[in-house]
Amino acid sequence: MHTKKKLLPFALAAALLALPLAATAQDEAAEEEESIFSWNAALTSDYMFRGASQTDGEAALQLGADLNFDNGFYVGVWASNVDFGTGGPDVEVDTYIGWNTDLGERVNLDLMLNRYNYLGEQDGYGAIDYNEFIGTLTLDETWSFTLGYTNDVYALDDDGFYYGLGGSFDVGMGWGLDVTVGHSTFGSSTGYEDYSDFSVGVNRDFGPVNVAVGYYGTDSAGDDNFGDTADNRFVVTFSIGG
């Protein structure tokens, strides 16, 4: 906000003195306007989703962007290359809308509706796009419980639930430790068995780049569902954001 002086003798001096302040205010306003937008990019040795590789054990480039509003609502898009075998899609594009709010000093709630879109599949492969509602409750920015639900898991016209428990800990020297366990259940008509997955990993910022090393796996039912793509494995990920 600029204040005009009525006294003309002081007008020029006031204007000159106000220039640095005006520039600072404009910069701060610009930063506030820009803060609604955030982005992220990652290069990972394997794209893992609930214990199973989405790239058949190969590397993935992943890009995302979000608009975060003051009232807690957000919208975003995230994309990665995928490989589901012969004739399958080449790219996954997730589009989502959600709401994030603090329920108190210690508890955060995030509610999101995500659309998994798959592009590049050949004719005859069949569409596998589907929607999922995902709710996450976080305690002390450390413990999180996630519930996912879809009535059309993998576009098979039946229910799918996901239950996840995660922990993120500061272990010193700039390193973080992340641990997750999850359990997926499926409607009987899908032909998939209920299975459990897990991951444990460490990460650290090196300048603007976060480097993470994780170990991922599933139980035997996961192997039955997804074959070699659910084998236990190490994954290295380099990510940046702003």
Side-chain angles (χ1 to χ4, degrees):
M1 179 181 295
H2 299 282
T3 301
K4 294 183 178 179
K5 303 289 186 179
K6 293 182 179 180
L7 300 177
L8 294 180
F10 299 101
L12 180 58
L16 291 174
L17 291 172
L19 284 177
L21 299 176
T24 301
Q26 290 174 356
D27 290 343
E28 291 177 352
E31 288 178 1
E32 289 180 359
E33 290 179 0
E34 291 174 359
S35 68
I36 192 175
F37 174 78
S38 61
W39 61 273
N40 58 84
L43 180 63
T44 181
S45 62
D46 201 342
Y47 168 22
M48 303 298 292
F49 179 72
R50 296 174 184 171
S53 173
Q54 308 296 287
T55 47
D56 197 22
E58 299 299 321
L61 175 63
Q62 302 171 337
L63 303 171
D66 297 88
L67 293 177
N68 303 280
F69 302 98
D70 291 339
N71 57 9
F73 284 96
Y74 61 88
V75 295
V77 60
W78 180 89
S80 175
N81 56 290
V82 295
D83 184 355
F84 297 149
T86 304
D90 300 313
V91 178
E92 174 187 337
V93 179
D94 296 350
T95 49
Y96 49 87
I97 182 170
W99 180 62
N100 184 287
T101 187
D102 290 329
L103 300 181
E105 293 184 359
R106 301 178 59 194
V107 181
N108 178 267
L109 175 66
D110 187 273
L111 303 175
M112 179 176 70
L113 180 62
N114 186 64
R115 173 74 174 177
Y116 300 93
N117 306 281
Y118 296 94
L119 310 176
E121 67 270 17
Q122 296 179 6
D123 294 340
Y125 185 86
I128 57 174
D129 306 349
Y130 68 101
N131 301 319
E132 184 179 35
F133 172 78
I134 304 170
T136 302
L137 199 64
T138 302
L139 176 64
D140 293 331
E141 299 182 349
T142 299
W143 296 101
S144 63
F145 174 74
T146 299
L147 172 64
Y149 169 72
T150 174
N151 63 350
D152 189 26
V153 62
Y154 308 148
L156 296 174
D157 196 27
D158 207 341
D159 294 339
F161 285 90
Y162 179 76
Y163 310 89
L165 178 64
S168 297
F169 312 94
D170 181 355
V171 293
M173 301 292 291
W175 288 94
L177 171 68
D178 299 303
V179 181
T180 68
V181 291
H183 187 68
S184 299
T185 66
F186 304 93
S188 58
S189 70
T190 65
Y192 285 91
E193 297 182 47
D194 300 348
Y195 79 100
S196 298
D197 69 275
F198 70 89
S199 71
V200 57
V202 294
N203 74 89
R204 189 181 189 279
D205 290 334
F206 293 90
V209 180
N210 181 270
V211 180
V213 179
Y215 186 70
Y216 297 78
T218 69
D219 60 11
S220 59
D223 292 333
D224 292 339
N225 287 334
F226 308 114
D228 293 344
T229 62
D231 288 348
N232 297 2
R233 69 196 65 200
F234 284 99
V235 176
V236 180
T237 303
F238 301 90
S239 59
I240 58 174

